[in-house]
Amino acid sequence: MGRRPADGDRRRPPGGCARTRLTTTEGEGSDDAPALPARRRALAAGLALALAGSAALVAGPAAAEDDAPSLRARYHFTVPDHWMNDPQRPVVIDGVLHYYYLYNADYDANPRANFGTEWRLATSADGVAFADQGVAAPKGTNANYDLWSGSAVVDHAGTAGFGPGAVVMLVTQMDHPTAAQKLDASGQQAQFLWYSVDGGRTFRPDGDEPVIPGDGRRDFRDPKVVWDDERQRWVALIAERDRVSFYTSPDLHRWTRTGEYVNAGIGTIECPDLFRLRADDGTTHWVMGVSANGYATNEPATYAYWTGSFDGSTFVPDVAAPQWLDHGFDWYGAVTWEDPAAPLERRLAIAWMNNWDYAHGAPTWPRDGFTGTDSITREIRLARAGAGYSLLSAPVDALQDHATHTTALGDVRVDGFTELAYRGDAYEITTRISRQDADNVGFQLRRSADGSRHADAGLTRDYAYLNRAQTGRPDSWKVESRTPLDDADTVELRILVDRTTIEVFVGDGRYTHSSQVFAPSGDQGLALYTSGGPAVFRDLRITEFADLAHVPRASSRTSRATRGARGGRPPAPSPGSVRRRAICAGRRARAWPTRSPGRTPRPASSRRRPSRSTGTRCTS
């Protein structure tokens, strides 16, 4: 995906969830409530609540406005400055995750004056804490102006001719655009080859001519390259509005079109994906995913996927209708990559938490000078579900290595409304909700002192939901997302709250909700509610994390990747530097094993847990 928003049906959804206004507080007193960090406490002297044999806190008088007005996420990845959109699939080099994303240093919140994107790089030891490395593939370097989405691969065998271990990217650019086409991104889309011989830190174009020409196609972008181990060749998936085309190549230069998958019912298809996973029953399946728009059929506009078969030339789904990896409003342009410790058992995923309907309206731009926040990195697995298979999601395990404080409230019984004396704007909630007689049960998140503003995450008898209608949010009709619930008496919820985002993982993770919430900085309250009867929030925990706010290590225009690029191509680094480069983060924490065509992956039993992070940034 480049700078053009996806098409979509703007119809309003059915009316929001009808929930009873909750006004009562019930419970019994206690004096042994667990302490919270001072910056989070809002205790009323002498007030506490004993709940189901454990302790909880009852809110006192409204606390003063928070003293940290920044809206930058504490533990989610954010662009250091200006603009970010599509994630690019990371690659693992020398044990370190290299995460690229589309970046625009010329962004000024005016969509008509944004002069193109380039690839910026952040490195990570665990997929949670990132270190900025500046621009890796600068725009204006060749005749094709800016860089859109694509994918990078580590060419261990040197099939492309740039040497073993070179990092090669196939990326969408406009084919020799005119000055006018540069301004409105209307030039012919085509696929171009760029390469790096310094371990993925800096890229240069392999000439100005495309390796896969657009041949008049209006939408022809977002190539995703994978290695077909069975046939010993490269495969590229390219999004073409209502279809995904398949190409194969022996060397990343010469490509042959081999097939296509067509689906005209999910809007403009972007950012395709293809991988294999072993399900929980031991069977192995191909999965194809795309970013798409399902609003015309009352489905999400996130990541659609199908299980099916791949014969090396095209993909055939098991069933026509897609499943969706997220049902919120802000989980788009997602990329997945194999967990090197268990490449067939699980994958990792990250997405852009924004929506083209309101992409330029985030309050982080006027407040903090940036627009662009990603989801938490999640782990995905494949599991049997009825007659088919579904992907299950959970926050990556490494997130817990950045935990700084956990408040365990035990089992909390609520019959009506209970406000906790916890205040915060960045935390995780985990609980198992025993619904008992309740028709509706959930959390009021980012609650204002007077209770007039809050976002709600909860369960009815029929569905789970995330509702942002009663607090600051994007200017859109997209206020409540829903997913079906079975009739289980107990449902697990895991909720990640950060300064401008909420992510809800329901049950086993088959259904998730990820959406932006623009609550005022001072709205940091938390409450529990039920209607229709009582419910028990079992093993309720609130966890806080270290401040991992992603700030630049250097100006985007003076970073190592861009020095010298304004006058032409960046200087070619020495090929020998690929193996000599040592990145401190990868040496101190989790070692991501590499995998190449023909190389046996490291067994799952060798997976190392990362050490607890101190929040220290890695510099090179």
Side-chain angles (χ1 to χ4, degrees), residues 153-222:
V153 295
V154 180
D155 186 12
H156 292 283
T159 63
F162 303 124
V167 184
V168 183
M169 61 191 246
L170 187 64
V171 61
T172 300
Q173 292 186 272
M174 293 180 286
D175 192 350
H176 293 76
T178 65
Q181 289 172 334
K182 291 178 182 179
L183 290 178
D184 65 6
S186 63
Q188 173 64 66
Q189 298 169 22
Q191 317 315 318
F192 295 82
L193 215 57
W194 289 55
Y195 68 98
S196 169
V197 291
D198 66 348
R201 291 298 188 95
T202 59
F203 288 83
R204 58 190 300 159
D206 183 39
D208 295 333
E209 299 302 318
V211 294
I212 309 180
D215 294 333
R217 299 178 181 90
R218 177 185 171 187
D219 296 293
F220 187 62
R221 57 181 176 266
D222 308 341

Side-chain angles (χ1 to χ4, degrees), residues 79-99:
V79 64
D81 52 69
H82 294 90
W83 168 267
M84 170 181 73
N85 55 304
D86 293 17
Q88 309 302 308
R89 184 187 60 200
V91 294
V92 177
I93 303 169
D94 289 343
V96 174
L97 191 75
H98 287 56
Y99 170 51

Side-chain angles (χ1 to χ4, degrees), residues 8 76 82 206 244 461 468 505:
H76 286 71
H82 294 90
D206 183 39
V244 175
R461 286 292 173 186
R468 59 186 182 182
F505 296 80

